[in-house]
Amino acid sequence: MQPNASTKSVHDSTKQITLLIIEDNNDIWMIVSLMLKRQLPNVSFHRVVNAQQALDYLDERITNSQAIPNLILQNLYLPLLKDGLDLLQEIRAKLTAYSAQQIPILVMSSSDNPDDIRRAYQAGASSFYRKPADMNNWNSYFDRLRQFWLESVILPVT
């Protein structure tokens, strides 16, 4: 029996997904990249470590008519900025200026400060994920992220 759209595996739908990860901490990046490779083997991802690299990456993709990421994972606190909220607002403004689709931006932070959470949503975050404090919880963290953002919701086509 030939597989059709309704019988394809869940991971088939993630083949064309590209993630932009904005994370400056190398220790966290090692965990994130390991989890991405383990949980999302068919998803491609690109890492940048600061706001300027993120904006340059998006500029290059947009101006060269290359596919922009389907999803952005962004650390809340970044170097060279007071926080990642400025970057979040700049990404949203850039996408609007180029008439590009609105990419979901998932803010990842170790903070559980209600003000950080409120301000992230006000700046344009699609969701706010608290980073696990315990190493043993990273697998379930990315499992939930995968289930919701890559298996439940429909992302924009790039």
Side-chain angles (χ1 to χ4, degrees):
M1 177 172 166
Q2 291 293 330
N4 60 36
S6 63
T7 61
K8 286 185 178 181
S9 78
V10 171
H11 290 290
D12 288 346
S13 63
T14 62
K15 285 185 179 178
Q16 303 300 320
I17 301 291
T18 301
L19 302 178
L20 173 60
I21 295 99
I22 308 166
E23 175 59 63
D24 62 309
N25 182 306
N26 286 329
D27 293 334
I28 297 294
W29 169 244
M30 284 182 16
I31 296 167
V32 168
S33 64
L34 176 66
M35 290 296 115
L36 288 171
K37 289 174 187 171
R38 181 182 297 163
Q39 295 262 351
L40 305 167
N42 296 324
V43 171
S44 62
F45 51 92
H46 180 81
R47 176 199 185 196
V48 296
V49 297
N50 62 46
Q52 190 59 55
Q53 286 181 358
L55 294 171
D56 290 346
Y57 175 80
L58 289 172
D59 274 338
E60 179 184 328
R61 307 298 287 181
I62 292 168
T63 58
N64 293 326
S65 298
Q66 297 175 353
I68 58 176
N70 304 87
L71 190 64
I72 297 174
L73 304 178
Q74 178 190 323
N75 186 14
L76 182 61
Y77 295 104
L78 295 167
L80 309 176
L81 285 175
K82 184 172 72 172
D83 56 39
L85 298 173
D86 293 332
L87 174 60
L88 189 52
Q89 290 174 324
E90 286 186 54
I91 290 172
R92 290 290 183 217
K94 182 177 294 300
L95 294 172
T96 299
Y98 284 108
S99 297
Q101 81 264 0
Q102 291 300 308
I103 304 166
I105 301 174
L106 287 56
V107 172
M108 301 184 307
S109 179
S110 55
S111 171
D112 61 359
N113 180 326
D115 194 47
D116 285 342
I117 297 166
R118 179 186 51 75
R119 291 174 54 223
Y121 280 109
Q122 287 174 338
S126 302
S127 66
F128 190 100
Y129 282 85
R130 189 163 189 282
K131 293 178 186 174
D134 183 339
M135 283 291 298
N136 296 322
N137 294 330
W138 277 95
N139 196 52
S140 62
Y141 177 85
F142 272 92
D143 187 46
R144 286 189 310 273
L145 185 144
R146 176 187 51 78
Q147 287 176 5
F148 183 77
W149 285 103
L150 299 176
E151 294 174 7
S152 297
V153 252
I154 299 171
L155 295 173
V157 177
T158 57

mmCIF file of all heavy atoms in Angstrom, residues 112-149:
data_model
loop_
_atom_site.group_PDB
_atom_site.id
_atom_site.type_symbol
_atom_site.label_atom_id
_atom_site.label_comp_id
_atom_site.label_asym_id
_atom_site.label_seq_id
_atom_site.Cartn_x
_atom_site.Cartn_y
_atom_site.Cartn_z
ATOM 1 N N ASP A 112 11.611 33.245 35.251
ATOM 2 C CA ASP A 112 10.172 33.049 35.404
ATOM 3 C C ASP A 112 9.544 34.322 35.963
ATOM 4 O O ASP A 112 8.448 34.311 36.503
ATOM 5 C CB ASP A 112 9.847 31.823 36.262
ATOM 6 C CG ASP A 112 10.393 31.926 37.673
ATOM 7 O OD1 ASP A 112 11.055 32.935 38.006
ATOM 8 O OD2 ASP A 112 10.159 30.998 38.470
ATOM 9 N N ASN A 113 10.248 35.431 35.777
ATOM 10 C CA ASN A 113 9.780 36.737 36.215
ATOM 11 C C ASN A 113 8.544 37.120 35.407
ATOM 12 O O ASN A 113 8.617 37.193 34.176
ATOM 13 C CB ASN A 113 10.907 37.758 36.026
ATOM 14 C CG ASN A 113 10.517 39.147 36.460
ATOM 15 O OD1 ASN A 113 9.375 39.566 36.328
ATOM 16 N ND2 ASN A 113 11.496 39.869 36.979
ATOM 17 N N PRO A 114 7.414 37.356 36.061
ATOM 18 C CA PRO A 114 6.193 37.708 35.323
ATOM 19 C C PRO A 114 6.371 38.929 34.418
ATOM 20 O O PRO A 114 5.754 39.006 33.350
ATOM 21 C CB PRO A 114 5.164 37.982 36.430
ATOM 22 C CG PRO A 114 5.674 37.226 37.616
ATOM 23 C CD PRO A 114 7.176 37.252 37.496
ATOM 24 N N ASP A 115 7.216 39.871 34.815
ATOM 25 C CA ASP A 115 7.451 41.054 33.984
ATOM 26 C C ASP A 115 8.179 40.674 32.697
ATOM 27 O O ASP A 115 7.853 41.195 31.623
ATOM 28 C CB ASP A 115 8.247 42.105 34.771
ATOM 29 C CG ASP A 115 8.219 43.460 34.095
ATOM 30 O OD1 ASP A 115 7.114 43.908 33.699
ATOM 31 O OD2 ASP A 115 9.299 44.060 33.950
ATOM 32 N N ASP A 116 9.165 39.772 32.781
ATOM 33 C CA ASP A 116 9.864 39.294 31.578
ATOM 34 C C ASP A 116 8.881 38.621 30.627
ATOM 35 O O ASP A 116 8.919 38.837 29.418
ATOM 36 C CB ASP A 116 10.972 38.291 31.933
ATOM 37 C CG ASP A 116 12.201 38.937 32.523
ATOM 38 O OD1 ASP A 116 12.379 40.160 32.371
ATOM 39 O OD2 ASP A 116 13.009 38.198 33.127
ATOM 40 N N ILE A 117 8.010 37.807 31.180
ATOM 41 C CA ILE A 117 7.039 37.063 30.365
ATOM 42 C C ILE A 117 6.066 38.035 29.690
ATOM 43 O O ILE A 117 5.845 37.967 28.478
ATOM 44 C CB ILE A 117 6.288 36.028 31.232
ATOM 45 C CG1 ILE A 117 7.276 34.995 31.775
ATOM 46 C CG2 ILE A 117 5.166 35.364 30.436
ATOM 47 C CD1 ILE A 117 6.735 34.134 32.899
ATOM 48 N N ARG A 118 5.526 38.961 30.451
ATOM 49 C CA ARG A 118 4.589 39.945 29.902
ATOM 50 C C ARG A 118 5.253 40.776 28.810
ATOM 51 O O ARG A 118 4.703 40.959 27.720
ATOM 52 C CB ARG A 118 4.074 40.869 31.023
ATOM 53 C CG ARG A 118 3.100 41.952 30.549
ATOM 54 C CD ARG A 118 2.742 42.924 31.668
ATOM 55 N NE ARG A 118 3.870 43.494 32.368
ATOM 56 C CZ ARG A 118 4.673 44.454 31.881
ATOM 57 N NH1 ARG A 118 4.470 44.937 30.686
ATOM 58 N NH2 ARG A 118 5.683 44.909 32.595
ATOM 59 N N ARG A 119 6.463 41.262 29.082
ATOM 60 C CA ARG A 119 7.167 42.103 28.115
ATOM 61 C C ARG A 119 7.535 41.325 26.852
ATOM 62 O O ARG A 119 7.516 41.869 25.754
ATOM 63 C CB ARG A 119 8.405 42.716 28.767
ATOM 64 C CG ARG A 119 8.022 43.752 29.828
ATOM 65 C CD ARG A 119 9.200 44.289 30.623
ATOM 66 N NE ARG A 119 10.229 44.806 29.740
ATOM 67 C CZ ARG A 119 11.537 44.578 29.906
ATOM 68 N NH1 ARG A 119 11.977 43.845 30.914
ATOM 69 N NH2 ARG A 119 12.404 45.076 29.077
ATOM 70 N N ALA A 120 7.849 40.037 26.983
ATOM 71 C CA ALA A 120 8.164 39.220 25.806
ATOM 72 C C ALA A 120 6.948 39.104 24.895
ATOM 73 O O ALA A 120 7.055 39.268 23.674
ATOM 74 C CB ALA A 120 8.659 37.836 26.230
ATOM 75 N N TYR A 121 5.802 38.849 25.470
ATOM 76 C CA TYR A 121 4.592 38.769 24.652
ATOM 77 C C TYR A 121 4.247 40.125 24.036
ATOM 78 O O TYR A 121 3.843 40.202 22.881
ATOM 79 C CB TYR A 121 3.409 38.227 25.468
ATOM 80 C CG TYR A 121 3.449 36.719 25.606
ATOM 81 C CD1 TYR A 121 3.746 36.115 26.820
ATOM 82 C CD2 TYR A 121 3.186 35.900 24.517
ATOM 83 C CE1 TYR A 121 3.784 34.736 26.950
ATOM 84 C CE2 TYR A 121 3.216 34.517 24.633
ATOM 85 C CZ TYR A 121 3.522 33.942 25.846
ATOM 86 O OH TYR A 121 3.558 32.567 25.970
ATOM 87 N N GLN A 122 4.440 41.187 24.779
ATOM 88 C CA GLN A 122 4.175 42.525 24.243
ATOM 89 C C GLN A 122 5.117 42.853 23.079
ATOM 90 O O GLN A 122 4.741 43.568 22.160
ATOM 91 C CB GLN A 122 4.314 43.591 25.336
ATOM 92 C CG GLN A 122 3.177 43.580 26.328
ATOM 93 C CD GLN A 122 3.400 44.538 27.477
ATOM 94 O OE1 GLN A 122 4.517 44.928 27.797
ATOM 95 N NE2 GLN A 122 2.305 44.915 28.139
ATOM 96 N N ALA A 123 6.331 42.321 23.127
ATOM 97 C CA ALA A 123 7.319 42.581 22.073
ATOM 98 C C ALA A 123 7.097 41.708 20.838
ATOM 99 O O ALA A 123 7.752 41.911 19.817
ATOM 100 C CB ALA A 123 8.735 42.369 22.612
ATOM 101 N N GLY A 124 6.197 40.731 20.925
ATOM 102 C CA GLY A 124 5.887 39.924 19.752
ATOM 103 C C GLY A 124 6.197 38.445 19.864
ATOM 104 O O GLY A 124 6.160 37.732 18.863
ATOM 105 N N ALA A 125 6.502 37.954 21.065
ATOM 106 C CA ALA A 125 6.770 36.524 21.230
ATOM 107 C C ALA A 125 5.507 35.723 20.937
ATOM 108 O O ALA A 125 4.399 36.132 21.282
ATOM 109 C CB ALA A 125 7.243 36.216 22.648
ATOM 110 N N SER A 126 5.687 34.590 20.295
ATOM 111 C CA SER A 126 4.580 33.668 20.060
ATOM 112 C C SER A 126 4.356 32.770 21.262
ATOM 113 O O SER A 126 3.241 32.293 21.493
ATOM 114 C CB SER A 126 4.867 32.805 18.832
ATOM 115 O OG SER A 126 5.084 33.625 17.713
ATOM 116 N N SER A 127 5.420 32.521 22.001
ATOM 117 C CA SER A 127 5.326 31.742 23.229
ATOM 118 C C SER A 127 6.560 32.017 24.070
ATOM 119 O O SER A 127 7.560 32.543 23.588
ATOM 120 C CB SER A 127 5.181 30.245 22.944
ATOM 121 O OG SER A 127 6.345 29.754 22.345
ATOM 122 N N PHE A 128 6.475 31.655 25.324
ATOM 123 C CA PHE A 128 7.566 31.850 26.281
ATOM 124 C C PHE A 128 7.800 30.510 26.958
ATOM 125 O O PHE A 128 6.908 29.985 27.625
ATOM 126 C CB PHE A 128 7.173 32.906 27.313
ATOM 127 C CG PHE A 128 8.302 33.363 28.199
ATOM 128 C CD1 PHE A 128 8.950 34.559 27.942
ATOM 129 C CD2 PHE A 128 8.705 32.604 29.288
ATOM 130 C CE1 PHE A 128 9.988 34.996 28.756
ATOM 131 C CE2 PHE A 128 9.738 33.025 30.105
ATOM 132 C CZ PHE A 128 10.384 34.231 29.838
ATOM 133 N N TYR A 129 8.971 29.940 26.742
ATOM 134 C CA TYR A 129 9.334 28.650 27.329
ATOM 135 C C TYR A 129 10.416 28.868 28.375
ATOM 136 O O TYR A 129 11.449 29.461 28.084
ATOM 137 C CB TYR A 129 9.904 27.699 26.261
ATOM 138 C CG TYR A 129 8.875 27.050 25.387
ATOM 139 C CD1 TYR A 129 8.388 27.693 24.259
ATOM 140 C CD2 TYR A 129 8.396 25.785 25.679
ATOM 141 C CE1 TYR A 129 7.447 27.089 23.442
ATOM 142 C CE2 TYR A 129 7.451 25.172 24.869
ATOM 143 C CZ TYR A 129 6.985 25.838 23.757
ATOM 144 O OH TYR A 129 6.053 25.242 22.962
ATOM 145 N N ARG A 130 10.166 28.360 29.564
ATOM 146 C CA ARG A 130 11.184 28.431 30.607
ATOM 147 C C ARG A 130 12.158 27.276 30.396
ATOM 148 O O ARG A 130 11.740 26.120 30.283
ATOM 149 C CB ARG A 130 10.553 28.331 31.988
ATOM 150 C CG ARG A 130 11.555 28.609 33.080
ATOM 151 C CD ARG A 130 10.841 28.913 34.391
ATOM 152 N NE ARG A 130 11.766 29.389 35.371
ATOM 153 C CZ ARG A 130 12.598 28.610 36.075
ATOM 154 N NH1 ARG A 130 12.586 27.318 35.877
ATOM 155 N NH2 ARG A 130 13.417 29.127 36.955
ATOM 156 N N LYS A 131 13.453 27.598 30.323
ATOM 157 C CA LYS A 131 14.471 26.565 30.145
ATOM 158 C C LYS A 131 14.529 25.696 31.398
ATOM 159 O O LYS A 131 14.454 26.203 32.511
ATOM 160 C CB LYS A 131 15.850 27.200 29.925
ATOM 161 C CG LYS A 131 16.000 27.952 28.644
ATOM 162 C CD LYS A 131 17.384 28.578 28.566
ATOM 163 C CE LYS A 131 17.538 29.465 27.368
ATOM 164 N NZ LYS A 131 18.827 30.179 27.375
ATOM 165 N N PRO A 132 14.669 24.399 31.212
ATOM 166 C CA PRO A 132 14.762 23.510 32.374
ATOM 167 C C PRO A 132 16.009 23.797 33.203
ATOM 168 O O PRO A 132 17.097 24.023 32.657
ATOM 169 C CB PRO A 132 14.852 22.114 31.758
ATOM 170 C CG PRO A 132 14.382 22.257 30.360
ATOM 171 C CD PRO A 132 14.684 23.653 29.954
ATOM 172 N N ALA A 133 15.848 23.790 34.495
ATOM 173 C CA ALA A 133 16.990 23.965 35.395
ATOM 174 C C ALA A 133 17.735 22.645 35.577
ATOM 175 O O ALA A 133 18.938 22.621 35.816
ATOM 176 C CB ALA A 133 16.520 24.492 36.747
ATOM 177 N N ASP A 134 17.019 21.548 35.426
ATOM 178 C CA ASP A 134 17.577 20.211 35.608
ATOM 179 C C ASP A 134 17.882 19.594 34.244
ATOM 180 O O ASP A 134 17.023 19.557 33.359
ATOM 181 C CB ASP A 134 16.555 19.358 36.366
ATOM 182 C CG ASP A 134 17.052 17.959 36.690
ATOM 183 O OD1 ASP A 134 18.001 17.470 36.031
ATOM 184 O OD2 ASP A 134 16.465 17.344 37.595
ATOM 185 N N MET A 135 19.080 19.108 34.073
ATOM 186 C CA MET A 135 19.503 18.492 32.808
ATOM 187 C C MET A 135 18.561 17.377 32.364
ATOM 188 O O MET A 135 18.364 17.160 31.172
ATOM 189 C CB MET A 135 20.918 17.919 32.934
ATOM 190 C CG MET A 135 22.015 18.943 32.890
ATOM 191 S SD MET A 135 22.171 19.688 31.260
ATOM 192 C CE MET A 135 22.598 18.277 30.279
ATOM 193 N N ASN A 136 17.988 16.665 33.311
ATOM 194 C CA ASN A 136 17.117 15.535 32.976
ATOM 195 C C ASN A 136 15.801 15.956 32.330
ATOM 196 O O ASN A 136 15.089 15.112 31.802
ATOM 197 C CB ASN A 136 16.836 14.710 34.236
ATOM 198 C CG ASN A 136 18.103 14.077 34.779
ATOM 199 O OD1 ASN A 136 18.955 13.635 34.024
ATOM 200 N ND2 ASN A 136 18.238 14.066 36.085
ATOM 201 N N ASN A 137 15.473 17.227 32.385
ATOM 202 C CA ASN A 137 14.191 17.690 31.855
ATOM 203 C C ASN A 137 14.271 18.240 30.430
ATOM 204 O O ASN A 137 13.244 18.594 29.860
ATOM 205 C CB ASN A 137 13.594 18.746 32.783
ATOM 206 C CG ASN A 137 13.228 18.161 34.124
ATOM 207 O OD1 ASN A 137 12.895 16.982 34.227
ATOM 208 N ND2 ASN A 137 13.299 18.965 35.160
ATOM 209 N N TRP A 138 15.459 18.330 29.850
ATOM 210 C CA TRP A 138 15.591 18.892 28.509
ATOM 211 C C TRP A 138 14.913 18.026 27.449
ATOM 212 O O TRP A 138 14.349 18.547 26.491
ATOM 213 C CB TRP A 138 17.061 19.108 28.143
ATOM 214 C CG TRP A 138 17.594 20.390 28.696
ATOM 215 C CD1 TRP A 138 18.273 20.559 29.858
ATOM 216 C CD2 TRP A 138 17.468 21.689 28.111
ATOM 217 N NE1 TRP A 138 18.586 21.878 30.039
ATOM 218 C CE2 TRP A 138 18.108 22.599 28.972
ATOM 219 C CE3 TRP A 138 16.878 22.177 26.944
ATOM 220 C CZ2 TRP A 138 18.179 23.959 28.708
ATOM 221 C CZ3 TRP A 138 16.957 23.535 26.682
ATOM 222 C CH2 TRP A 138 17.591 24.416 27.562
ATOM 223 N N ASN A 139 14.960 16.725 27.601
ATOM 224 C CA ASN A 139 14.338 15.856 26.614
ATOM 225 C C ASN A 139 12.828 16.096 26.547
ATOM 226 O O ASN A 139 12.261 16.243 25.468
ATOM 227 C CB ASN A 139 14.645 14.392 26.919
ATOM 228 C CG ASN A 139 14.356 13.498 25.735
ATOM 229 O OD1 ASN A 139 14.816 13.754 24.624
ATOM 230 N ND2 ASN A 139 13.585 12.452 25.964
ATOM 231 N N SER A 140 12.164 16.151 27.698
ATOM 232 C CA SER A 140 10.718 16.386 27.696
ATOM 233 C C SER A 140 10.402 17.816 27.245
ATOM 234 O O SER A 140 9.365 18.062 26.619
ATOM 235 C CB SER A 140 10.101 16.091 29.055
ATOM 236 O OG SER A 140 10.624 16.940 30.041
ATOM 237 N N TYR A 141 11.291 18.762 27.521
ATOM 238 C CA TYR A 141 11.130 20.152 27.072
ATOM 239 C C TYR A 141 11.033 20.201 25.540
ATOM 240 O O TYR A 141 10.118 20.788 24.974
ATOM 241 C CB TYR A 141 12.343 20.950 27.565
ATOM 242 C CG TYR A 141 12.427 22.393 27.169
ATOM 243 C CD1 TYR A 141 11.771 23.371 27.904
ATOM 244 C CD2 TYR A 141 13.220 22.805 26.107
ATOM 245 C CE1 TYR A 141 11.884 24.718 27.580
ATOM 246 C CE2 TYR A 141 13.338 24.141 25.765
ATOM 247 C CZ TYR A 141 12.669 25.096 26.515
ATOM 248 O OH TYR A 141 12.792 26.419 26.185
ATOM 249 N N PHE A 142 11.973 19.533 24.868
ATOM 250 C CA PHE A 142 11.967 19.533 23.406
ATOM 251 C C PHE A 142 10.898 18.602 22.839
ATOM 252 O O PHE A 142 10.416 18.829 21.735
ATOM 253 C CB PHE A 142 13.356 19.220 22.840
ATOM 254 C CG PHE A 142 14.161 20.466 22.682
ATOM 255 C CD1 PHE A 142 14.998 20.895 23.688
ATOM 256 C CD2 PHE A 142 14.046 21.236 21.536
ATOM 257 C CE1 PHE A 142 15.707 22.071 23.559
ATOM 258 C CE2 PHE A 142 14.753 22.408 21.395
ATOM 259 C CZ PHE A 142 15.585 22.832 22.403
ATOM 260 N N ASP A 143 10.516 17.599 23.590
ATOM 261 C CA ASP A 143 9.417 16.748 23.146
ATOM 262 C C ASP A 143 8.122 17.562 23.085
ATOM 263 O O ASP A 143 7.381 17.489 22.103
ATOM 264 C CB ASP A 143 9.263 15.551 24.085
ATOM 265 C CG ASP A 143 8.248 14.558 23.576
ATOM 266 O OD1 ASP A 143 8.286 14.214 22.372
ATOM 267 O OD2 ASP A 143 7.409 14.109 24.389
ATOM 268 N N ARG A 144 7.860 18.362 24.110
ATOM 269 C CA ARG A 144 6.664 19.220 24.118
ATOM 270 C C ARG A 144 6.739 20.269 23.016
ATOM 271 O O ARG A 144 5.754 20.533 22.320
ATOM 272 C CB ARG A 144 6.493 19.891 25.482
ATOM 273 C CG ARG A 144 6.004 18.956 26.557
ATOM 274 C CD ARG A 144 5.641 19.675 27.832
ATOM 275 N NE ARG A 144 6.652 20.585 28.330
ATOM 276 C CZ ARG A 144 7.656 20.254 29.123
ATOM 277 N NH1 ARG A 144 7.804 18.999 29.508
ATOM 278 N NH2 ARG A 144 8.517 21.144 29.537
ATOM 279 N N LEU A 145 7.912 20.856 22.827
ATOM 280 C CA LEU A 145 8.096 21.853 21.768
ATOM 281 C C LEU A 145 7.810 21.224 20.405
ATOM 282 O O LEU A 145 7.083 21.777 19.593
ATOM 283 C CB LEU A 145 9.526 22.404 21.824
ATOM 284 C CG LEU A 145 9.849 23.522 20.875
ATOM 285 C CD1 LEU A 145 10.809 24.494 21.542
ATOM 286 C CD2 LEU A 145 10.479 22.998 19.614
ATOM 287 N N ARG A 146 8.367 20.043 20.168
ATOM 288 C CA ARG A 146 8.141 19.326 18.907
ATOM 289 C C ARG A 146 6.671 19.019 18.708
ATOM 290 O O ARG A 146 6.109 19.276 17.643
ATOM 291 C CB ARG A 146 8.953 18.030 18.883
ATOM 292 C CG ARG A 146 8.705 17.162 17.636
ATOM 293 C CD ARG A 146 9.392 15.798 17.730
ATOM 294 N NE ARG A 146 9.121 15.082 18.956
ATOM 295 C CZ ARG A 146 7.995 14.419 19.220
ATOM 296 N NH1 ARG A 146 7.015 14.396 18.354
ATOM 297 N NH2 ARG A 146 7.842 13.773 20.365
ATOM 298 N N GLN A 147 6.037 18.465 19.737
ATOM 299 C CA GLN A 147 4.634 18.075 19.605
ATOM 300 C C GLN A 147 3.749 19.270 19.280
ATOM 301 O O GLN A 147 2.867 19.162 18.437
ATOM 302 C CB GLN A 147 4.138 17.404 20.885
ATOM 303 C CG GLN A 147 4.675 16.018 21.064
ATOM 304 C CD GLN A 147 4.239 15.408 22.381
ATOM 305 O OE1 GLN A 147 3.464 15.977 23.137
ATOM 306 N NE2 GLN A 147 4.754 14.217 22.655
ATOM 307 N N PHE A 148 3.970 20.379 19.929
ATOM 308 C CA PHE A 148 3.099 21.523 19.685
ATOM 309 C C PHE A 148 3.465 22.263 18.402
ATOM 310 O O PHE A 148 2.649 22.397 17.495
ATOM 311 C CB PHE A 148 3.106 22.504 20.865
ATOM 312 C CG PHE A 148 2.144 23.644 20.645
ATOM 313 C CD1 PHE A 148 0.786 23.451 20.817
ATOM 314 C CD2 PHE A 148 2.592 24.886 20.240
ATOM 315 C CE1 PHE A 148 -0.119 24.484 20.599
ATOM 316 C CE2 PHE A 148 1.698 25.930 20.014
ATOM 317 C CZ PHE A 148 0.342 25.727 20.194
ATOM 318 N N TRP A 149 4.714 22.744 18.313
ATOM 319 C CA TRP A 149 5.089 23.643 17.221
ATOM 320 C C TRP A 149 5.326 22.948 15.890
ATOM 321 O O TRP A 149 5.208 23.569 14.834
ATOM 322 C CB TRP A 149 6.305 24.486 17.601
ATOM 323 C CG TRP A 149 5.909 25.550 18.555
ATOM 324 C CD1 TRP A 149 6.131 25.570 19.907
ATOM 325 C CD2 TRP A 149 5.172 26.733 18.254
ATOM 326 N NE1 TRP A 149 5.579 26.698 20.450
ATOM 327 C CE2 TRP A 149 4.987 27.438 19.451
ATOM 328 C CE3 TRP A 149 4.655 27.270 17.079
ATOM 329 C CZ2 TRP A 149 4.310 28.649 19.510
ATOM 330 C CZ3 TRP A 149 3.983 28.481 17.135
ATOM 331 C CH2 TRP A 149 3.819 29.146 18.345
#
